[in-house]
Amino acid sequence: MSLQDPVAAFRIEAGELLDQIEQGLLDLGHRLDDRDLVDEVFRGLHTLKGSGAMFGFDALAEFTHHCETAFDRVRKGLAPATQELVAVILSARDHMRALIEGNGSGLEATGAAILAELQAAIDGASDSPPAVEPAGAVPVVPVAAAGSGSGWRLSFRLPADAMANGTNPLMLLDELRELGECRIVARTDKVPPLADLVPTECHIGWDVELRGDISRADIDDVFIFVMDDMELSVTPLEVAADDVPGAAPVAGADGSAAVQGVAPPVLAAIDSAAPGKSPAATPSAAPKSGESVRVPAERLDELMDRVGELVIVQSRLSQLASGQASASGNELALRSISEEIERLAGELRDTMMVLRMVPVASLFSRFRRLVHDLARETGKTIALSTEGETTEVDKTMIERLADPMVHLIRNACDHGLETPQDRLAAGKPAAGQVHLSAHQAGGEVLITIRDDGRGIDRERVRAKAEVQGLIQPDQAISDHDLLQMIFHPGFSTAAQVTNLSGRGVGMDVVKRTIESLRGTIDVTSKPGEGSTVVLRIPLTLAIIDGLLVRVGEGRYVIPLGAVEECLELSLEEHLRSRGRSFITLRDRLVPFLRLREIFDTGTRPDPHQKIVVIATGAERVGLVVDQIIGSHQTVIKSMSPLHRDVATFAGATILGDGGVALILDVVQLVTLGQHQEERLRAAG
Amino acid sequence: MTAAILTVDDSPSLRMAIRIALTGAGYDVTEAGDGVEGLSAAAAKKFDLIITDLNMPNMDGLTMIRELRKAPEQAGVPIIFLTTESDDAMKQQAKAVGATGWLVKPFVPEQLIKVSRKVLGR
């Protein structure tokens, strides 16, 4: 965003205002008599209208004006806030967004329909006639038409507090002088004796003879701010017969004076259509507000500190390079600088990453409207509660999480929650609960979507899975695996197809999206008690801490967050476990995968092989590697389109020596390990 | 000396528009986001002119003007308020608490500059 473009700034600001209005309205829906909320919404509408008009969004300003007027009545206690009004203004708010984005025609019809609803909502709520009036009906101060060809005689006295309130009489006299030749006489008759004199008050009056071809409007302009309270008399100067040849030139002078020049401030409403019409007409110029991130100043200060330190270290390095230090100390000095730079790079990376972090509150707040709308559409009573909104996640992550979460919440509200009647019949409170929570665990954020609805119908899932040929009719399958079936492409039970969910996004798409974020999705459900979906996503997409290992001649990175422990595969275990790839770890059998075999390295194994135990959730699997090299700051590069489908790898990274290491996809490997375990168990 | 102007508005875009117009006209502009910020800015530095919105969160323009006028050093400092109110009541209230003049939104930069010149005399 350009710092010099108020229109771009307005678009961003308008987006924030609309969010604020929406949140205020939703809160108001729950607490209809909360005056603070009414004020908040009113202020939002008011600012939107005012700024919109400033930057040429005339349609927006006019439309918003109606909503503001309606809301003003509520604010002044002339009409009650009702659910109908909240609902209408919510849809009006969506229309305002469309007007700001300026996408396409046909908006007038929508706007008119909403205004009609608004009118109905107000009519229903109050007896007095609705206050919806056209925005253009700002009272226009009539331009004084009378003029004088030769001049005016003025006599004025300012209100006593005028000087204290910022009016400088000398400037008024200067302005009069600019209009024409002046003869000014001060009247000091009202000046009190010194003992009674209040120095901040103005006691002097002035008589002015103003000569020239001046309109009365110009004189009124001079006194515009004090006109209401001051004593002012304005009379035309005696017209000498030879001064003015006739009436016509006078009228001509008045006409031109009213048209020319800058309109006086109070007449600004007349010009409202004039300033900058272009923005509303060029929607393509609209920047995405998502491209800017708000950063608290203190975080920028931190970043600046680090950069400052980096500059210092850099100068030390230059000094060393130019050979000013003694030769013997060189190596030591270089090592110390290297350590400094390593530390600074780490800190810079952390600080930088934090800059991109935004609280999930911005994500959660979008869903309040969604749930509100879903409740209206389905006729259910739904209470949305949230927890852990301050948890911070990478900005790009937030954006990409929105769609899958919308789908999950729709599912919960539409399929999960029962109708109030069914709920009461089942002995539950009539209002269904949808709970969103977020919390950070290590390098991951866990986002939970929980409902207290009917839960997932196993029978139906099973029936559907059998029809699709995903499982055999008599096949035994764990409850957990059965629930995972809902993530299968094309999997939806017949009753699931409603107009609410008909968005062409299935659970398989949700799963794919989450996995593309290097996250996992897990669903649990208790019949009659509800379902819980847990999303685990990494804090950031760009950089991870990795464990660098060697398998054969290749080097690989294992995300450090997934590593539980490293141990040696003793020769004894190696022999004993041949063919049965399990180790016993604290009395638990953990399957392991020989990466040498999976990658088909064709090299001789190292005599002392290591096992890296990795885990996702409760599932663990060991990876046998030849050597553990150490931890490594891994900047993730995505794989080429050709290799994107290779499931075992999540990406690649470039090592310090210029070599390439592939990043192992932990989720895939754990799944692979678990399958192997199941196969072996099935085989006995 | 360059005249120092304080602009108080909760709308960043409007503040930006005001800043661009007034710095373009050679004034020195300081911004504040609401009445509370406006008061502390005015306490930290003496301004030649204060331009304020009326409807703002935390502290509205009316309250800020009233507070400003309580301080002796703010006597005589011109205060212009921005208003979109079509009713006269707001204007009268603002004047009653000590505002010097007003500017009706929406305005074009020339009107803003003209009003500033008018009350500053430069």
Side-chain angles (χ1 to χ4, degrees):
Chain A
M1 163 189 105
S2 159
L3 285 175
Q4 292 298 325
D5 185 4
V7 175
F10 170 71
R11 284 179 194 276
I12 293 173
E13 179 186 328
E16 286 164 7
L17 281 171
L18 287 174
D19 286 349
Q20 178 198 325
I21 291 168
E22 182 174 61
Q23 296 303 318
L25 285 169
L26 291 171
D27 284 337
L28 192 64
H30 295 290
R31 301 194 298 274
L32 282 173
D33 48 358
D34 190 325
R35 305 279 315 162
D36 291 345
L37 287 173
V38 173
D39 283 350
E40 186 186 317
V41 172
F42 175 79
R43 205 168 45 233
L45 291 168
H46 182 81
T47 307
L48 192 64
K49 181 187 87 172
S51 299
M54 279 295 302
F55 301 114
F57 292 80
D58 295 338
L60 172 76
E62 180 169 347
F63 180 79
T64 311
H65 173 79
H66 295 300
C67 302
E68 184 201 353
T69 310
F71 231 80
D72 193 32
R73 292 175 59 77
V74 177
R75 191 173 67 130
K76 289 176 176 157
L78 295 173
T82 58
Q83 294 293 355
E84 288 71 33
L85 184 65
V86 168
V88 174
I89 306 249
L90 271 176
S91 56
R93 173 230 171 251
D94 296 344
H95 182 62
M96 290 170 199
R97 167 148 283 165
L99 286 172
I100 292 166
E101 285 163 3
N103 40 9
S105 53
L107 289 173
E108 292 85 1
T110 321
I114 294 172
L115 290 182
E117 280 179 51
L118 180 63
Q119 187 110 20
I122 301 175
D123 281 347
S126 60
D127 305 329
S128 45
V132 177
E133 55 174 69
V138 179
V140 173
V141 175
V143 178
S148 166
S150 57
W152 301 87
R153 185 183 307 282
L154 283 72
S155 177
F156 71 94
R157 187 178 288 281
L158 293 175
D161 60 359
M163 279 178 13
N165 286 350
T167 302
N168 187 336
L170 294 178
M171 283 175 203
L172 297 179
L173 293 174
D174 282 346
E175 275 188 70
L176 289 176
R177 282 202 193 93
E178 281 170 20
L179 290 177
E181 188 194 332
C182 281
R183 207 169 66 85
I184 302 170
V185 177
R187 280 189 284 119
T188 55
D189 50 314
K190 296 262 175 76
V191 177
L194 194 55
D196 303 336
L197 186 84
V198 180
T200 55
E201 286 181 6
C202 182
H203 304 282
I204 304 174
W206 286 269
D207 292 326
V208 181
E209 258 182 49
L210 181 59
R211 294 191 172 272
D213 193 2
I214 298 150
S215 79
R216 172 68 202 260
D218 285 345
I219 296 173
D220 286 350
D221 266 4
V222 172
F223 296 107
I224 183 157
F225 292 146
V226 279
M227 192 98 95
D228 296 346
D229 314 306
M230 72 189 294
E231 295 169 23
L232 174 67
S233 75
V234 183
T235 49
L237 281 176
E238 298 295 310
V239 182
D242 48 14
D243 273 350
V244 180
V250 175
D254 288 341
S256 58
V259 175
Q260 287 173 351
V262 179
V266 78
L267 299 180
I270 299 169
D271 296 26
S272 64
K277 274 182 185 154
S278 53
T282 53
S284 57
K288 276 191 207 153
S289 62
E291 283 167 5
S292 69
V293 182
R294 273 177 183 233
V295 176
E298 65 198 60
R299 288 189 173 171
L300 283 182
D301 292 346
E302 267 176 51
L303 193 62
M304 199 58 228
D305 284 351
R306 301 285 169 275
V307 172
E309 285 181 55
L310 193 63
V311 170
I312 295 169
V313 178
Q314 187 269 327
S315 67
R316 275 176 61 196
L317 190 62
S318 315
Q319 211 173 11
L320 191 70
S322 65
Q324 283 169 18
S326 70
S328 62
N330 268 1
E331 197 187 326
L332 202 62
L334 190 60
R335 196 172 295 158
S336 128
I337 289 172
S338 159
E339 279 169 11
E340 275 289 282
I341 288 178
E342 188 182 339
R343 177 181 65 84
L344 281 171
E347 285 176 357
L348 266 175
R349 182 206 61 176
D350 290 348
T351 317
M352 197 59 225
M353 230 141 70
V354 168
L355 286 187
R356 295 179 50 89
M357 302 286 250
V358 290
V360 292
S362 62
L363 182 64
F364 282 6
S365 62
R366 300 185 204 179
F367 300 135
R368 295 190 53 204
R369 174 69 185 276
L370 176 71
V371 170
H372 177 267
D373 289 350
L374 286 172
R376 281 182 80 86
E377 286 171 46
T378 57
K380 297 173 184 172
T381 321
I382 308 173
L384 178 74
S385 52
T386 55
E387 186 187 329
E389 293 101 326
T390 52
T391 312
E392 293 193 323
V393 186
D394 192 284
K395 173 120 181 117
T396 34
M397 195 75 86
I398 292 262
E399 276 148 20
R400 289 167 69 179
L401 272 173
D403 279 348
M405 282 194 70
V406 164
H407 187 78
L408 292 171
I409 292 169
R410 273 175 181 274
N411 266 351
C413 294
D414 196 15
H415 312 314
L417 296 179
E418 312 91 330
T419 59
Q421 297 81 10
D422 289 354
R423 289 182 64 89
L424 289 171
K428 295 185 191 177
Q433 290 282 338
V434 174
H435 184 77
L436 301 179
S437 77
H439 74 269
Q440 193 182 335
E444 287 184 322
V445 170
L446 267 67
I447 294 180
T448 310
I449 299 132
R450 195 175 69 223
D451 69 72
D452 68 344
R454 60 172 75 93
I456 296 172
D457 184 343
R458 266 79 168 174
E459 292 303 313
R460 208 149 76 214
V461 171
R462 185 165 185 117
K464 182 83 185 176
E466 284 173 12
V467 169
Q468 293 223 333
L470 299 174
I471 48 173
Q472 298 306 311
D474 52 353
Q475 186 181 339
I477 182 167
S478 73
D479 189 53
H480 181 256
D481 287 356
L482 185 66
L483 288 181
Q484 304 309 310
M485 291 290 165
I486 63 171
F487 295 117
H488 209 274
F491 194 96
S492 83
T493 54
Q496 269 182 323
V497 184
T498 73
N499 59 337
L500 285 185
S501 331
R503 301 180 78 216
V505 185
M507 286 297 265
D508 59 317
V509 177
V510 171
K511 188 176 161 89
R512 264 215 306 282
T513 312
I514 299 298
E515 283 176 350
S516 75
L517 298 173
R518 290 192 293 112
T520 61
I521 183 167
D522 195 26
V523 60
T524 54
S525 177
K526 280 188 183 165
E529 287 180 34
S531 310
T532 305
V533 179
V534 180
L535 310 178
R536 299 171 75 97
I537 49 160
L539 279 176
T540 178
L541 292 170
I543 304 172
I544 55 166
D545 274 322
L547 185 70
L548 191 62
V549 300
R550 185 176 60 79
V551 179
E553 282 162 2
R555 284 173 293 180
Y556 302 89
V557 173
I558 303 170
L560 201 59
V563 174
E564 287 222 319
E565 60 189 294
C566 300
L567 34 108
E568 196 157 314
L569 178 66
S570 63
L571 199 59
E572 183 185 330
E573 259 172 324
H574 179 62
L575 292 173
R576 199 174 60 202
S577 64
R578 187 164 288 280
R580 288 201 41 149
S581 301
F582 283 98
I583 49 165
T584 314
L585 198 59
R586 282 183 284 284
D587 294 336
R588 279 191 56 186
L589 280 182
V590 175
F592 63 79
L593 300 166
R594 292 168 210 274
L595 292 184
R596 315 174 28 78
E597 287 167 17
I598 295 176
F599 300 155
D600 201 11
T601 58
T603 52
R604 289 178 55 80
D606 274 27
H608 300 289
Q609 295 202 72
K610 309 288 187 299
I611 300 179
V612 179
V613 180
I614 57 173
T616 60
E619 290 160 0
R620 291 191 291 179
V621 68
L623 302 175
V624 181
V625 302
D626 285 330
Q627 188 193 352
I628 292 171
I629 300 172
S631 69
H632 180 76
Q633 286 290 326
T634 311
V635 178
I636 299 175
K637 308 273 179 195
S638 49
M639 304 279 270
S640 74
L642 190 63
H643 301 102
R644 198 161 285 155
D645 293 334
V646 182
T648 332
F649 302 112
T653 190
I654 296 169
L655 300 171
D657 61 4
V660 171
L662 293 168
I663 301 165
L664 299 182
D665 187 327
V666 170
V667 178
Q668 289 290 339
L669 287 171
V670 169
T671 316
L672 199 65
Q674 295 295 328
H675 282 174
Q676 173 180 313
E677 180 187 358
E678 280 161 21
R679 262 204 319 277
L680 289 170
R681 274 194 182 146
Chain B
M1 199 191 86
T2 317
I5 300 180
L6 172 66
T7 163
V8 189
D9 202 306
D10 57 329
S11 159
S13 58
L14 206 76
R15 287 206 306 270
M16 190 187 286
I18 292 174
R19 192 191 66 220
I20 290 169
L22 291 180
T23 45
Y27 295 112
D28 181 19
V29 180
T30 304
E31 296 180 29
D34 59 35
V36 177
E37 287 181 23
L39 279 184
S40 60
K45 177 182 171 184
K46 169 99 175 171
F47 289 95
D48 301 303
L49 166 64
I50 296 170
I51 299 175
T52 179
D53 193 16
L54 290 181
N55 256 296
M56 290 182 293
N58 299 328
M59 183 190 283
D60 65 16
L62 283 180
T63 315
M64 185 187 79
I65 297 172
R66 198 180 290 121
E67 290 298 316
L68 280 173
R69 288 293 186 224
K70 279 184 189 166
E73 67 272 16
Q74 300 292 354
V77 173
I79 302 176
I80 297 290
F81 60 91
L82 304 177
T83 175
T84 54
E85 307 292 330
S86 44
D87 63 335
D88 226 29
M90 203 64 166
K91 200 155 83 184
Q92 294 308 333
Q93 279 186 47
K95 284 182 68 177
V97 296
T100 311
W102 61 87
L103 188 55
V104 177
K105 287 193 274 191
F107 52 82
V108 294
E110 290 75 28
Q111 293 168 332
L112 176 69
I113 293 165
K114 191 176 178 224
V115 168
S116 305
R117 290 245 161 84
K118 177 178 173 63
V119 294
L120 284 165
R122 51 183 155 155

